[in-house]
């Protein structure tokens, strides 16, 4: 990079008054010497010597500096970054965002830059970036399909790719950067090299309307001949009218059902469900395919999603229903579960302080001493319901068994109670630790409650547990529930808990009173329902008992699902976008057999499992025998090349399936998650580097933009120039002292001292 | 020194304020301790046809007392309900008894059909071994689910063992067993009737049905079994 040196004074203002002063002083000196009768040649000589000294002092007082400018560009150019990520293919108007950017560059920016005699270095970027010729930029119009937007990476590349940096970088982008890995490096490079960034925001702030199939869910295990539902979670953003469109359900690739979603307007997220019943056992993939309406402009996100369901009669669900007294809720919940032959409920009801009523015990002596006091006793059940009991009704040892049952064995725990149950005894109890909520120290006068309705949260409405009716009338089905009279006070939801229902009016110290909530606890799940007398829902004249039954079946199935997984399958990846290496963690839970073998050496066979991973099209990607000691997570890695459904199945030594999990990988969702223009991101880059961020509609006067660019460049060059003090050296000092000494000598010789 | 009358006035004023505070606090404390009625066991006493639900008047109370043996559930007073009332659908346990014949209207039958389908339970009892009520009950209940008539509940049914294990029920005046009549909706037992003065037996000490029907202890045990069955099935 060239470096030009110029001369300047940091305190130039001193020069003018100093010169006047010096002239005055010299005049006075000459007049004094003349009065003393000195001849004019000698007088002139002395005045000149004095003048040299004073002039040198004046020059040094004005702080002379040598300015070495490093910002001067021999061949100044501007790097223009053209975003070719998928979101730039969206159309806010008559053409794509990339088309808008291209036109802006061609018709406005390029002529203005060339007029300034600045060359243009175009770049194309998405997940990576590269320099491009004009023809390549034109050709990119047809391939605006980048999977990510790494704006920082493009800025870094443009700033550092050549020895001579650009005078400025102009980014023509919608600003929707979704890869921030190069942010730090890019900002450092831009600041170090003094390059201002000018962001031109392409698109509109709201973005075009989008329609996406977010997720497809279904119960992982269902008994044969029992109806279940495949739910498709859909979302629409934008405010335009959306005409009706079709959803198709494919079973193992074969079309089985279609469904029409009726026209509506406005943004919303909702679920459409397909009822399915399988008569035979087996594993099936259910794919929901979105057939988008022909609307312009409408962005279609993910169009398909798949859920795998294992139709199996082997996985019975055993529930232990423990209650402080006989309740009507128990009877009606039993009724709800009665139609599911795979669900078996064992009841344990307190009849007095010292006696219990056992129902549906399956072995002689089962629960003969009341509530289980060991993991071995509680391990046959997948779900435990604690109803109408206070925390003090269970001993600390029993509470500890429940905690280990839920956290280690993966059991499901449901706490049912009301105003009289949830008292202060729950605070700080062992059971409170399991629960998704903390209990209220001051529940107040619960008897003064007014009748109220349950208000389900959006999370609940999207959850398959709460799908009690077909499609769009699900919300109205919940709204038609009868009112309830009292509820138990809890304080607040714990971090990580999901609130399912709130009081429609009552507010506690932490917001709306929570009536239903859930959370994962260790290997298991826990849920709380703070409303009793749910039986009134089923008995109510206008209710549909099938909806009540479906809710309880789905809730218990969900609670019991964690416990059925002997091995928990988790993913270490933060983002799951193909191609990627799936880092899978296999965590075997301690089983009843492990508990029985505690203290002895666990048989090795108990730890040996077969792990298989299948990718899309049932292609086997991994098949190995893996040793899984209890509570010691074992990682495995599988490469996932393409999008689609990946299923992980784990079998024990006897080839019985003990766990399975499916994972849907999609590769373009991130680009279409936010379709609105992100000016804030562009403003941050501009603010950091001294540039500007303008929406494209505000940047139509490109000449003005380039002018402001030039001013900024000059300012930055000036700020970046090196200023070295000049004149403070031996020569100047010698000159000064020499002149003073010579004057002194002459004055002595001419007897003027 | 204050005159006596002034002292009295001070004390009267103090007592007045104290009394007022008590009056305010009393309903508050009683309200705070009150129970949600839907969490309790309560009997809906059916009024039907010409029957005002007054036969064996203490039957609901007695049933509650019996249930106190089997559970810590709180028991509330009975509530009189007409078969056509919607409040029937807020009462999971209904009781009807009587001496005489009766006929149910189509609307009452439809209400009952819905009530049973939604999970309600009905206990019927003939009073004083009078034949009119049991005959009518069987006939009318058989109309609730057409093609599914009332039938005898065999002794191997769980209702005979829900709390007390009862191998059989013997009539006091006849050398024969007393079998309960049941109405089933599918495989769910939704209504039970005892023709041999069950209510007289457990609620009246069999005074009105002396020498006939069920012995009082048998009556109490089977009544409790039925109530527990209704609460657990």
């Amino acid at each position: 990079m060239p470096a030009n040196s110029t001369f300047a004074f940091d305190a130039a203002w001193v020069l003018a008054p100093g010169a006047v002063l010096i002239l005055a002083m010299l005049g006075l000196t000459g007049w004094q010497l003349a009065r003393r009768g000195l001849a004019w040649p000698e007088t002139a000589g002395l005045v000149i010597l004095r003048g040299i000294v004073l002039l040198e002092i004046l020059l040094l007082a004005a702080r002379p500096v040598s300015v070495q400018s490093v910002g001067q560009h021999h061949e100044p150019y501007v790097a223009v970054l053209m975003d070719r990520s998928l979101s730039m293919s969206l159309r806010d108007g008559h053409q794509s965002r990339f088309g808008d950017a291209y036109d802006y560059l061609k018709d406005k920016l390029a002529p203005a830059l060339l007029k300034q005699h600045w060359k243009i270095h175009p770049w194309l970027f998405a997940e990576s970036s590269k320099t491009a010729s004009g023809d390549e930029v034109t050709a990119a119009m047809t391939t605006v399909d980048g999977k990510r937007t790494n704006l920082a990476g493009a800025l870094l590349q443009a700033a550092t790719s050549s020895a001579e940096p650009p005078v400025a970088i102009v980014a023509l982008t919608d600003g929707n950067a979704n890869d921030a890995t190069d942010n730090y490096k890019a900002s450092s490079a831009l600041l170090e090299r003094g390059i201002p960034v000018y962001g031109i925001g392409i698109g509109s702030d709201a973005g075009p309307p989008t329609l996406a199939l977010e997720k497809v869910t279904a119960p992982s295990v269902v008994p044969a001949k029992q109806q279940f539902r495949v739910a498709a979670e859909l979302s629409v953003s934008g405010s335009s009218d959306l005409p009706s469109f079709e959803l198709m359900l494919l079973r193992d690739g074969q079309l089985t059902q279609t469904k029409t979603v009726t026209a509506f307007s406005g943004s919303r997220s909702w679920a459409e469900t397909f009822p399915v019943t399988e008569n035979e056992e087996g594993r099936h993939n259910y794919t929901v395919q979105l057939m988008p309406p022909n609307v312009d402009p409408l962005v279609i996100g993910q169009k398909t999603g798949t859920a795998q369901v294992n139709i199996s009669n082997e996985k019975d669900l055993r529930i232990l229903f423990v209650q402080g007294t006989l309740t009507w809720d128990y009877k009606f919940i039993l009724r709800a579960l009665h139609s599911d032959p795979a669900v078996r409920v064992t009841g344990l009801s307190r009849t007095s302080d010292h006696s219990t009523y056992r129902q549906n015990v399956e072995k002689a002596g089962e629960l003969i001493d009341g509530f289980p006091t060991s993991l071995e006793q509680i391990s046959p059940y997948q779900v435990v319901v604690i109803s109408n009991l206070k925390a003090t009704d269970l001993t600390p040892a029993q509470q500890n068994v429940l905690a280990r049952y839920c956290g280690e064995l993966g059991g499901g725990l449901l706490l049912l109670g009301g105003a009289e149950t949830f008292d202060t005894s729950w605070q700080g109890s062992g059971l409170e630790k399991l629960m998704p909520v903390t209990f209220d120290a001051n529940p107040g006068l619960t008897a003064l409650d007014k009748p109220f309705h349950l208000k389900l949260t959006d999370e609940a409405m999207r959850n398959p547990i709460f799908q009690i009716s077909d499609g769009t009338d699900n919300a109205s089905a919940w709204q038609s529930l009868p009112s309830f009279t009292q509820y138990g006070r809890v304080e607040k939801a714990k971090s990580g808990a999901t609130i399912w229902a709130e009081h429609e009016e009552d507010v506690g110290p932490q917001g709306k009173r929570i009536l239903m909530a859930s959370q994962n606890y260790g290997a298991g799940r826990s849920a709380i329902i703070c409303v009793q007398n749910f039986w009134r829902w089923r008995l109510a004249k206008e209710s549909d008992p099938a909806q009540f039954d479906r809710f309880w079946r789905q809730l218990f199935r969900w609670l019991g699902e964690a416990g059925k997984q002997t091995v928990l399958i988790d993913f270490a990846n933060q983002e799951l976008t193909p191609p990627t290496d799936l880092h899978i963690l296999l965590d075997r839970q301690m089983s009843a057999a492990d508990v029985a073998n505690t203290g002895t050496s666990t048989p090795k066979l108990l730890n040996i499992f077969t792990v298989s991973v299948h990718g899309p099209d049932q292609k086997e990607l991994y098949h190995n025998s893996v040793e899984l000691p209890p509570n010691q997570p074992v990682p495995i890695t599988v490469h996932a090349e393409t999008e689609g459904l990946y299923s992980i199945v784990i079998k024990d030594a006897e080839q019985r399936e003990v766990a399975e999990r499916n994972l849907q990988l999609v590769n373009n969702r991130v680009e279409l998650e936010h379709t609105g223009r992100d000016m804030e991101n562009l403003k941050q880059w501009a603010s950091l580097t001294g540039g500007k961020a303008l929406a494209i509609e505000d940047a139509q006067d490109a000449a003005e933009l380039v002018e402001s660019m030039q001013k900024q460049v000059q300012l930055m060059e000036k700020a970046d120039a090196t200023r070295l003090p000049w004149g403070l050296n031996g020569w100047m000092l010698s000159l000064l002292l020499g002149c003073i000494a010579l004057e002194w000598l002459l004055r002595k010789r001419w007897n003027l001292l | 020194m204050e005159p006596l009358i002034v002292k009295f006035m001070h004390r009267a004023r103090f007592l007045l304020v104290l009394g007022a505070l008590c009056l305010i606090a009393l309903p508050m404390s009683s309200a705070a301790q009150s129970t949600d009625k839907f969490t309790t066991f309560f009997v809906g006493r059916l009024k039907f046809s010409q029957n005002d639900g007054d036969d064996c008047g203490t039957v609901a109370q007695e049933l509650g007392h019996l249930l106190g043996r089997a559970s810590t559930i709180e028991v509330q007073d009975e509530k009189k309900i007409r078969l056509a009332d919607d409040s029937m659908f807020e009462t999971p346990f209904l009781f009807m008894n009587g001496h005489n014949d009766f006929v149910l209207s189509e609307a009452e039958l439809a209400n009952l059909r819905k009530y049973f389908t939604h999970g309600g339970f009905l206990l019927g009892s003939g009073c004083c071994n009078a034949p009119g009520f049991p005959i009518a009950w069987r006939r009318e209940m058989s109309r609730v689910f057409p093609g599914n008539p009332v039938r005898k509940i065999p002794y191997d049914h769980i209702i005979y063992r829900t709390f007390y294990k009862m191998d059989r029920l013997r009539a006091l005046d006849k050398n024969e067993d007393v079998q309960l009549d049941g109405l089933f909706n599918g495989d769910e037992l939704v209504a039970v009737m005892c023709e041999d003065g069950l209510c007289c037996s457990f609620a009246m000490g069999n005074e009105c049905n002396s020498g006939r029907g069920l012995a009082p202890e048998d009556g109490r045990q089977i009544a409790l079994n039925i109530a527990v069955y209704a609460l657990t099935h």
Side-chain angles (χ1 to χ4, degrees), chain A residues 52-119:
Chain A
I52 292 171
V53 170
L54 289 174
L55 191 61
E56 187 178 341
I57 291 171
L58 178 64
L59 289 176
L60 290 176
R63 290 160 62 188
V65 289
S66 165
V67 182
Q68 293 183 338
S69 173
V70 293
Q72 295 294 321
H73 297 79
H74 264 192
E75 291 187 1
Y77 72 93
V78 172
V80 178
L81 309 183
M82 295 285 287
D83 184 353
R84 53 162 295 275
S85 64
L86 187 66
S87 62
M88 288 295 284
S89 68
L90 300 179
R91 289 194 297 173
D92 301 84
H94 69 283
Q95 65 173 348
S96 71
R97 289 178 179 178
F98 191 89
D100 287 341
Y102 179 82
D103 286 351
Y104 181 78
L105 173 62
K106 182 166 67 74
D107 300 336
K108 298 190 185 304
L109 185 61
L113 289 172
L114 294 174
K115 196 173 176 185
Q116 187 66 34
H117 305 293
W118 283 348
K119 289 184 178 174

Side-chain angles (χ1 to χ4, degrees), chain A residues 323-328 330-332 334-335 338 349-353 357 359-360 388 420 445-448 482 485-486 532-533 535-545, chain B residues 28 31-32 34-36 38-42 70-74 86 88-93 111 114-121 162 187-190 228 230-233:
Chain A
Q323 50 179 352
T325 185
L326 292 172
T327 63
W328 291 114
Y330 173 65
K331 173 234 178 80
F332 282 81
L334 283 189
R335 276 285 170 97
H338 183 65
S349 308
R350 187 171 59 185
T351 51
S352 72
D353 287 343
Y357 174 76
Q359 188 179 0
N360 299 335
N388 256 55
E420 293 161 42
L445 287 171
T446 55
L448 300 181
T485 47
Q486 290 185 16
Q532 289 175 296
N533 306 318
W535 61 265
R536 298 184 62 229
W537 172 11
R538 196 180 198 277
L539 190 61
K541 188 175 184 181
E542 303 306 327
S543 78
D544 177 359
Chain B
M28 295 278 277
S34 79
T35 305
D36 184 354
F38 294 113
T39 317
T40 63
F41 182 87
F42 56 101
S71 173
T72 52
I73 190 171
E74 289 191 40
D86 283 352
M88 195 170 91
F89 291 90
E90 292 200 330
T91 314
F93 189 93
N111 240 17
K114 183 172 264 192
Y115 177 76
F116 291 142
T117 308
H118 286 209
F121 189 90
T162 48
D187 60 347
E188 290 169 356
L189 178 60
V190 295
V228 170
L231 273 163
T232 55
H233 288 80

Side-chain angles (χ1 to χ4, degrees), chain A residues 179-200:
Chain A
D179 187 342
T181 48
D182 291 322
N183 274 17
Y184 177 73
K185 283 183 192 170
S187 52
S188 298
L190 291 166
L191 289 175
E192 192 178 305
R193 311 197 94 188
I195 307 168
V197 173
Y198 289 80
I200 308 298

Side-chain angles (χ1 to χ4, degrees), chain B residues 208-226:
Chain B
C208 58
N209 196 23
S210 185
R212 293 181 298 169
L214 290 171
E217 188 53 29
D218 283 352
R220 280 191 278 272
Q221 289 189 4
I222 192 63
L224 179 56
N225 275 7
I226 292 168

Side-chain angles (χ1 to χ4, degrees), chain B residues 157-225:
Chain B
H157 194 273
I158 189 75
I159 201 166
Y160 296 103
R161 297 192 303 280
T162 48
F163 196 79
Y164 291 107
K165 189 169 183 297
M166 308 183 79
D167 292 328
R168 57 186 58 242
L169 286 169
R170 297 294 291 179
L172 287 173
D173 56 334
K174 297 174 280 189
N175 187 22
E176 60 185 47
D177 291 338
V178 173
Q179 257 185 312
L180 302 174
D181 289 275
L183 174 66
F184 291 80
N185 178 21
D187 60 347
E188 290 169 356
L189 178 60
V190 295
V192 171
M193 193 272 291
C194 179
E195 65 178 319
D196 295 280
L198 172 62
C199 55
C200 311
S201 170
F202 77 80
M204 309 291 288
N206 219 26
E207 286 173 9
C208 58
N209 196 23
S210 185
R212 293 181 298 169
L214 290 171
E217 188 53 29
D218 283 352
R220 280 191 278 272
Q221 289 189 4
I222 192 63
L224 179 56
N225 275 7

Side-chain angles (χ1 to χ4, degrees), chain A residues 20-335:
Chain A
V20 172
L21 187 63
I22 286 170
L23 286 174
M25 288 172 72
L26 292 176
L28 185 63
T29 303
W31 178 71
Q32 282 178 335
L33 291 173
R35 275 189 66 189
R36 292 175 73 172
L38 196 65
W40 71 267
E42 287 83 0
T43 301
L46 287 176
V47 169
I48 288 169
L49 284 173
R50 176 70 58 91
I52 292 171
V53 170
L54 289 174
L55 191 61
E56 187 178 341
I57 291 171
L58 178 64
L59 289 176
L60 290 176
R63 290 160 62 188
V65 289
S66 165
V67 182
Q68 293 183 338
S69 173
V70 293
Q72 295 294 321
H73 297 79
H74 264 192
E75 291 187 1
Y77 72 93
V78 172
V80 178
L81 309 183
M82 295 285 287
D83 184 353
R84 53 162 295 275
S85 64
L86 187 66
S87 62
M88 288 295 284
S89 68
L90 300 179
R91 289 194 297 173
D92 301 84
H94 69 283
Q95 65 173 348
S96 71
R97 289 178 179 178
F98 191 89
D100 287 341
Y102 179 82
D103 286 351
Y104 181 78
L105 173 62
K106 182 166 67 74
D107 300 336
K108 298 190 185 304
L109 185 61
L113 289 172
L114 294 174
K115 196 173 176 185
Q116 187 66 34
H117 305 293
W118 283 348
K119 289 184 178 174
I120 299 170
H121 287 195
W123 289 72
L124 288 168
F125 78 98
E127 59 269 40
S128 60
S129 44
K130 62 168 190 172
T131 55
S133 64
D135 290 343
E136 285 173 321
V137 172
T138 307
M141 295 271 276
T142 56
T143 55
V144 185
D145 57 359
K147 291 171 183 167
R148 287 189 163 273
T149 305
N150 185 0
L151 176 60
L155 291 171
L156 177 65
Q157 288 280 311
T160 60
S161 63
S162 62
E164 184 175 340
V167 293
I169 298 176
V170 179
L172 300 174
T173 172
D174 58 15
N176 274 321
N178 41 47
D179 187 342
T181 48
D182 291 322
N183 274 17
Y184 177 73
K185 283 183 192 170
S187 52
S188 298
L190 291 166
L191 289 175
E192 192 178 305
R193 311 197 94 188
I195 307 168
V197 173
Y198 289 80
I200 308 298
I202 313 293
S204 61
D205 295 330
T210 60
L211 168 64
L213 173 58
E214 300 285 348
K215 197 165 49 170
V216 173
T217 56
S220 55
V221 184
V222 178
K225 297 177 182 173
Q226 185 187 306
Q227 189 184 75
F228 62 95
R229 286 175 183 273
V230 178
E233 291 181 25
L234 298 148
S235 69
V236 168
S237 66
S239 56
S240 61
D241 294 338
L242 193 69
S244 64
F245 60 93
E246 297 282 321
L247 289 174
M248 298 195 302
L249 177 69
L250 292 86
R251 174 183 178 271
D252 298 329
Q254 300 294 316
L255 179 66
T256 58
Q257 293 182 48
T258 58
K259 185 167 198 172
T260 302
V261 179
T262 51
F264 62 92
S265 63
S267 301
R268 65 170 177 153
S269 295
W270 79 107
E272 296 287 345
T273 61
F274 293 90
V276 179
T277 306
E278 295 285 354
N279 292 322
E280 304 293 333
E281 291 187 75
R283 190 183 291 277
H284 299 289
N285 285 344
Y286 294 92
T287 302
V288 177
Q289 190 159 339
L290 170 68
M291 305 299 288
N294 190 15
V295 179
D296 192 24
L298 176 65
V299 180
I300 307 299
Q302 188 67 23
K303 283 197 284 192
T304 62
T306 304
Q308 196 172 68
V309 181
N310 187 10
I311 310 297
S312 170
N313 291 326
E314 291 176 6
K315 302 225 170 184
D316 285 355
L317 183 66
R318 279 205 73 188
I319 299 168
L320 174 60
F321 202 117
V322 185
Q323 50 179 352
T325 185
L326 292 172
T327 63
W328 291 114
D329 274 341
Y330 173 65
K331 173 234 178 80
F332 282 81
I333 291 171
L334 283 189
R335 276 285 170 97

Side-chain angles (χ1 to χ4, degrees), chain B residues 40-56:
Chain B
T40 63
F41 182 87
F42 56 101
V43 174
R45 189 75 187 267
L46 277 186
K47 297 198 282 187
F48 57 96
S49 192
Q50 303 300 312
N51 189 308
D52 284 334
D54 291 329
D55 293 331
C56 295

